Amino acid sequence: MKTDVFVIGGGAAGLAAAAKAAERGAHVVLAEPFGLGGRMLTHIECGVGGMTGPELAARLVSGMRASGRVRVLRTAVVRVSPDKTVETAGGDGSFVCTAGAVVLACGGRDVPLSGTGTPFPAGIDGIFTASEALTAHCLFGKRIGRRAVVIGAGGEGLTVARRLALEGTTVVGVTETASSPRASALSVRDCIDDLRIPLYLSARVLSVKGGDRVESVRVSSGSDEFILRCDAVVCAAGRLPDCSLYPFAEVCASGIPAVDSAFMTGSAGFFIAGGALHSCGSPGGTSLSDGSAAGRAAAAYALGGERIRASYSLTAGKGIGYVVPSRFAVGSEFRAAVRPSADIPSGYVIMRSPSGELLFRSNRTALCSGRETLICVPSEAACGDLIVSAEAI
Amino acid sequence: MKEIRCTACERGCLLLADSDLYEISVSGNGCERGREYALAECINPVRCATFNVRVAGGSRPVVSSKTARPVAVAKILPLSRMILRLEVQAPIAAGQTLFASLLGERIVATSSVEKEG
Amino acid sequence: MYDFLIIGGGVIGCALARELSRYNATVAVAEKENDVCALESRVPAAICAARSMGCGDPVAARYAALGEKMFRAYAVASDIPYIKTGCTLRFTPERARAVAADCGRYGIRFESRGACGTDGENPEEMFFPDAGMTDGCDAVYALRENAAAGGAEFIFGFSVSRCERSDGSLTAVASDGRRLTARRVINCAGSGGGPVARALGDFIYLRHAPVDMEVVRCDKPLGSPLFVGRDMLLPAENGCVAGTVGGCIPRSVPVAAGCRDAAARMAAAAGIDCSEPRACSVLRTFSDSMIFRPGNAEGVTHVLGAGVGGLTAAPAVAADYVRSAGLVRKNGAIPAVRRFPRIRELSAHERNALARMRADYAELVCAVPPVTFGEVREAVARGAKDAAGAARRLLRAGERGGVRFTEAVRRAAAERRV
């Protein structure tokens, strides 16, 4: 099988990439093993523009189908080789497809409880990640337990807490290691204030105890230690970008794959977008625009064999955890997603040249270490290597 | 005295709304939208609530749904408790009304479910 | 009444059951967990005799050497996945000399690669070309299925609390009152071997000692497993390292998460806080040396303390026991139970052919790694009792099945009950 653009993953980024690439005239194959829409299907809250996740997914899917050049395969991709051959398994069948360009939009992976360093007994039941809990409720209609503790008060943690509380599970508490919830004010209002779920800030989970099933969670907050009795623990400690399907991508020190402003990796013709690249916010936000840009660039590459232009680098400086993309083309404006390493209630994102000259300063924004901030860098600033830093006012 | 987190923009100012018999005074807001938001929150806080409703005879066991218009916050938990006990029949189209009046609110499906088989 | 009762369904127990099931004898295996290899880590296991060399334990060394030589044929006969990769070990200079001496005595080939200075110590690196790699869990499951096909019975949830003697036979009584009677009893209950031995009327002292888990960095891809002293590092597909029991949690990513998972789970099972991965110890139960001898009572044999090299020694131990028991082989050929196909290991063409034959091999229940409902059904049919058991058979260290996987296991188990 041959195609112009192969999109791996049918979530927000994948659907947007497929739609855009088809719009640009490329033949697209999209491989998605489960429902088209990815995390949008489990995020049933009212989000952007008053639309819930499934409604947004339905709109993206019909937009993608309208172009008529996208073939959707219900299958899982098992291997991607450097010569742009993609092998799939299961579902509609095992295909081997050669593509002109490959877009990896397979999403990120939740950090499991074992990744947070909290000790818990081996083989214990009742520990879930945030997306597992949401999938259980929204796709399988099953509850995960009667009393649950949610670890992590980011957007995802609060969404899970809300879903659990509305579906009959008592949420015993939401713990968060930072001193303020990392989620947007909207989420906090919807999830904590309205439903009166106990929120424990500056609280570290010391251990999870239980026999066959979780029985209690020991939390230390400041100088007290207390025990929350529960029969389910949901770990919403963040999401890691996961491009394990394409292990040849070079990865920066922070764990983010290195891409340029068109989302192309160092290897020509491979694009990474959405959750597979960086931690996007609620589904349907940044990943949509990432996917569109990647789809457009992939179509341009596959149809026209776009030459790689000279790239300058964008590195993370003081106060910044990571910055996406890590390279950009000279002289064109681009959008950068910046993740601060500490909370700054009111500050600027500053880009300097390596010699210290100030090239660009963003508007005053609130910087939160739990979220990415999007900055539009104008073309005048994109004239050389840049170092990004965050400074308080 | 009510503490409200403003959601008008991403700054999320912490507003303080104090009401006496004749007027509500708002402080801590960074802009006018915050003040209006605080007033709305004090008088009648509304949200658009979403639920998963059980489906009988469908290809999926639940369908996601939302209230057709924003509802008062106080109704959300009672609505959720009622919906947990109810069930709808497949097939369901997105946008279809699942319950015409539950505590006075219309519940609308946001995704579709085909008949089983 | 059974001819043989094997207490402990671990590596040695399953290997013995498989061997004995080929002879005219009735065999029962009593295991206290609800499945074999209940606490197994799912990281690759090395079949390397040299790990048991040079520590002054002639019994372990001899069986490990024999087992390593037998393993290739054994793996083919029982359909255990096995590749001969060779194995690299690093020892302290004194232990390296002892290992070299033992290898000469037991006929294990090795190449000395000289000193490789790391961080102040000066370990010696040795390469053993005849060693290989297998999957510990897969091996034990294959042995169990072959044993069951040959007529051995597996009884789970049976925790031996005491034994009764009558003329010519022994009865093991479980803590819940169930009884199993047999003419001969083999105690290979591993870390639970001490109490079982006491129930059988022997006193065997099993020493508990911490084995340090080191955090070791390995940057370049390795073609063969690499050992550091008693600890072990294994290469994964893209050249990074995995860890194992008494093993190392690598600092390098990726794949590290899976092995840190496995090591953390094993530490947690021993009740040890693993939040500080550098300074972490795992309690291992082992005797001063491997024990393979008859007990005080007639008909009782103890096989304990094979330790980390248990899988390597298993074929030799089983063959030795059967030889000493003087049994008659069953008539006719006993077909080996084939390992059921795993989607992730087949080529695209094979996958399509399989999907055409059985529709449930096309239904995906997990995308990364690709797992289909057909495999879940097979795993449940062959003894997985819950999602954890199915995960041990179908997934590797650190991989999570997710909610779809758990639901699929539940569906397959419900189908079986009906």
Side-chain angles (χ1 to χ4, degrees):
Chain A
M1 193 188 338
K2 277 186 69 64
T3 180
D4 292 327
V5 175
F6 196 105
V7 179
I8 303 178
L15 290 173
K20 193 59 118 178
E23 193 188 311
R24 293 294 168 122
H27 283 272
V28 181
V29 170
L30 180 122
E32 163 60 44
F34 304 122
L36 284 174
R39 276 171 56 225
M40 292 189 290
L41 296 178
T42 55
H43 192 98
I44 66 174
E45 312 297 332
C46 279
V48 173
M51 274 206 294
T52 62
E55 291 174 324
L56 183 57
R59 178 189 290 194
L60 285 174
V61 170
S62 58
M64 186 187 72
R65 290 234 154 92
S67 67
R69 272 191 284 266
V70 181
R71 180 171 171 196
V72 174
L73 293 178
R74 194 192 165 93
T75 178
V77 171
V78 294
R79 203 167 301 128
V80 178
S81 4
D83 61 353
K84 303 196 199 75
T85 309
V86 181
E87 197 179 316
T88 69
D92 283 349
S94 294
F95 302 99
V96 175
C97 182
T98 342
V102 175
V103 178
L104 275 109
C106 23
R109 212 135 296 285
D110 275 332
V111 174
L113 190 57
S114 46
T116 59
T118 305
F120 61 96
I124 196 175
D125 246 343
I127 299 190
F128 304 91
T129 59
S131 30
E132 285 174 2
L134 285 175
T135 313
H137 276 279
C138 303
L139 298 182
F140 292 96
K142 296 235 163 110
R143 286 195 287 183
I144 61 169
R146 272 195 289 268
R147 295 167 60 92
V149 168
V150 178
I151 302 180
E156 249 205 315
L158 294 187
T159 310
V160 173
R162 179 163 204 241
R163 192 48 37 210
L164 291 175
L166 287 180
E167 307 233 342
T169 307
T170 316
V171 181
V172 175
V174 177
T175 68
E176 167 60 48
T177 50
S179 54
S180 69
R182 289 178 293 128
S184 67
L186 202 68
S187 302
V188 176
R189 178 204 75 175
D190 279 347
C191 308
I192 302 287
D193 298 339
D194 286 353
L195 301 172
R196 280 185 271 252
I197 294 171
L199 173 65
Y200 301 105
L201 293 171
S202 306
R204 204 164 60 92
V205 175
L206 296 177
S207 67
V208 172
K209 293 252 170 7
D212 278 334
R213 190 156 178 120
V214 171
E215 276 159 28
S216 66
V217 170
R218 185 180 217 99
V219 178
S220 100
S221 167
S223 53
D224 349 272
E225 264 189 32
F226 49 92
I227 295 190
L228 295 170
R229 282 194 323 108
C230 58
D231 68 352
V233 170
V234 179
C235 181
R239 196 168 303 110
L240 297 174
D242 177 25
C243 53
S244 58
L245 263 186
Y246 183 61
F248 315 102
E250 38 168 300
V251 171
C252 304
S254 49
I256 308 287
V259 294
D260 66 16
S261 48
F263 295 97
M264 186 154 75
T265 63
S267 346
F270 284 94
F271 299 79
I272 311 184
L277 176 63
H278 56 149
S279 114
C280 301
S282 63
T286 324
S287 33
L288 262 185
S289 40
D290 275 8
S292 277
R296 178 174 48 229
Y301 181 87
L303 296 176
E306 200 172 88
R307 283 156 300 169
I308 302 176
R309 294 179 292 183
S311 296
Y312 290 115
S313 71
L314 195 61
T315 37
K318 192 170 75 78
I320 300 287
Y322 63 77
V323 62
V324 168
S326 56
R327 287 193 304 275
F328 58 95
V330 62
S332 62
E333 68 163 1
F334 64 97
R335 210 175 60 151
V338 162
R339 177 83 170 253
S341 52
D343 286 340
I344 299 176
S346 194
Y348 301 103
V349 174
I350 294 182
M351 300 200 178
R352 292 181 202 275
S353 71
S355 53
E357 180 197 340
L358 176 68
L359 288 170
F360 172 73
R361 192 170 68 177
S362 73
N363 294 331
R364 197 165 67 170
T365 50
L367 297 171
C368 173
S369 66
R371 275 207 310 275
E372 291 183 343
T373 307
L374 298 169
I375 311 282
C376 276
V377 182
S379 40
E380 309 84 62
C383 56
D385 286 347
L386 290 177
I387 300 181
V388 188
S389 55
E391 278 168 28
I393 294 184
Chain B
M1 261 304 212
K2 193 163 152 184
E3 244 187 30
I4 305 162
R5 241 173 292 258
C6 179
T7 57
C9 76
E10 65 181 15
R11 266 170 71 185
C13 308
L14 196 63
L15 310 167
L16 235 58
D18 193 10
S19 62
D20 64 17
L21 209 49
Y22 297 110
E23 73 173 288
I24 300 172
S25 66
V26 179
S27 59
N29 53 316
C31 68
E32 185 57 28
R33 280 159 66 194
R35 204 183 93 83
E36 287 163 8
Y37 176 76
L39 287 174
E41 283 287 296
C42 284
I43 297 169
N44 184 22
V46 287
R47 312 273 179 266
C48 197
T50 58
F51 309 97
N52 278 313
V53 182
R54 223 170 286 283
V55 172
S59 56
R60 282 192 293 128
V62 284
V63 65
S64 55
S65 63
K66 67 176 183 189
T67 53
R69 54 172 191 176
V71 305
V73 165
K75 276 194 190 173
I76 296 182
L77 273 175
L79 267 178
S80 73
R81 282 196 277 267
M82 291 182 74
I83 286 181
L84 281 177
R85 288 199 287 268
L86 298 171
E87 205 177 54
V88 287
Q89 283 290 332
I92 295 178
Q96 171 184 334
T97 302
L98 297 176
F99 306 110
S101 172
L102 211 57
L103 287 185
E105 303 301 331
R106 189 161 67 97
I107 311 288
V108 157
T110 50
S111 52
S112 54
V113 176
E114 300 89 35
K115 242 177 146 59
E116 188 168 25
Chain C
M1 171 132 107
Y2 297 98
D3 290 323
F4 292 93
L5 171 63
I6 301 172
I7 303 182
V11 174
I12 302 279
C14 288
L16 278 165
R18 179 230 175 231
E19 223 30 66
L20 289 169
S21 66
R22 280 157 165 62
Y23 292 82
N24 278 334
T26 47
V27 181
V29 179
E31 161 66 41
K32 83 169 192 296
E33 303 280 343
N34 74 344
D35 194 4
V36 298
C37 12
L39 287 181
E40 187 57 48
S41 69
R42 297 300 290 133
V43 289
I47 305 294
C48 179
R51 280 184 300 166
S52 316
M53 303 275 172
C55 35
D57 184 353
V59 178
R62 174 167 165 261
Y63 283 111
L66 282 171
E68 185 187 274
K69 295 191 178 100
M70 289 170 65
F71 209 89
R72 175 126 223 288
Y74 195 68
V76 169
S78 312
D79 200 17
I80 295 174
Y82 172 78
I83 351 163
K84 185 161 147 175
T85 53
C87 174
T88 312
L89 283 84
R90 287 185 181 165
F91 297 109
T92 54
E94 312 82 60
R95 178 124 186 251
R97 280 194 290 276
V99 167
D102 267 348
C103 286
R105 195 174 315 143
Y106 295 106
I108 305 284
R109 288 194 302 163
F110 67 95
E111 291 163 23
S112 191
R113 295 239 171 104
C116 44
T118 42
D119 294 17
E121 302 169 357
N122 220 8
E124 287 241 351
E125 197 167 288
M126 299 170 75
F127 175 68
F128 300 86
D130 295 321
M133 252 170 77
T134 182
D135 187 306
C137 258
D138 271 357
V140 181
Y141 288 133
L143 291 173
R144 182 223 158 147
E145 285 162 22
N146 278 292
E153 269 183 54
F154 282 79
I155 296 117
F156 292 105
F158 195 103
S159 178
V160 173
S161 61
R162 68 172 201 281
C163 260
E164 289 165 4
R165 306 221 69 218
S166 21
D167 48 350
S169 71
L170 277 155
T171 305
V173 184
S175 41
D176 58 6
R178 284 185 287 175
R179 307 166 73 87
L180 280 173
T181 315
R183 288 198 190 88
R184 282 188 262 197
V185 174
I186 312 166
N187 169 20
C188 40
S191 48
V196 172
R198 276 197 288 285
L200 292 168
D202 285 306
F203 182 74
I204 292 182
Y205 175 62
L206 294 175
R207 187 163 56 98
H208 293 244
V211 169
D212 286 323
M213 290 213 267
E214 281 175 52
V215 178
V216 180
R217 191 189 179 89
C218 185
D219 297 314
K220 56 181 173 56
L222 302 167
S224 65
L226 167 72
F227 281 58
V228 176
R230 288 170 304 185
D231 305 324
M232 188 161 87
L233 296 170
L234 284 169
E237 289 97 79
N238 55 351
C240 298
V241 294
T244 184
V245 180
C248 307
I249 315 166
R251 263 184 265 150
S252 55
V253 287
V255 175
C259 310
R260 216 183 287 131
D261 248 15
R265 278 194 302 127
M266 285 182 285
I272 288 164
D273 181 2
C274 205
S275 51
E276 216 348 275
R278 269 218 83 116
C280 180
S281 303
V282 172
L283 229 52
R284 291 278 297 171
T285 312
F286 53 92
S287 63
D288 284 320
S289 58
M290 178 171 163
I291 294 168
F292 185 1
R293 59 170 161 81
N296 285 336
E298 160 122 24
V300 172
T301 314
H302 297 284
V303 185
L304 295 168
V308 185
L311 189 53
T312 313
V317 164
D320 225 27
Y321 183 84
V322 165
R323 204 172 13 241
S324 67
L327 299 164
V328 176
R329 265 197 104 91
K330 274 186 184 149
N331 287 332
I334 300 160
V337 178
R338 309 308 299 171
R339 199 167 164 259
F340 62 91
R342 308 287 206 279
I343 291 291
R344 67 201 295 182
E345 295 167 4
L346 302 177
S347 72
H349 181 67
E350 288 165 346
R351 282 197 287 265
N352 282 328
L354 189 58
R356 269 194 293 273
M357 278 197 313
R358 279 184 58 166
D360 53 5
Y361 271 98
E363 188 187 329
L364 282 169
V365 299
C366 181
V368 172
V371 179
T372 52
F373 186 63
E375 293 165 77
V376 171
R377 217 182 238 153
E378 279 297 325
V380 170
R382 290 180 189 224
K385 297 197 173 51
D386 52 15
R392 275 195 302 274
R393 284 167 167 79
L394 299 172
L395 304 173
R396 297 207 189 115
E399 290 175 345
R400 294 176 69 90
V403 178
R404 277 194 184 85
F405 184 83
T406 315
E407 285 299 307
V409 173
R410 215 166 277 170
R411 199 160 41 118
E415 280 172 10
R416 259 184 87 69
R417 274 196 291 273
V418 160

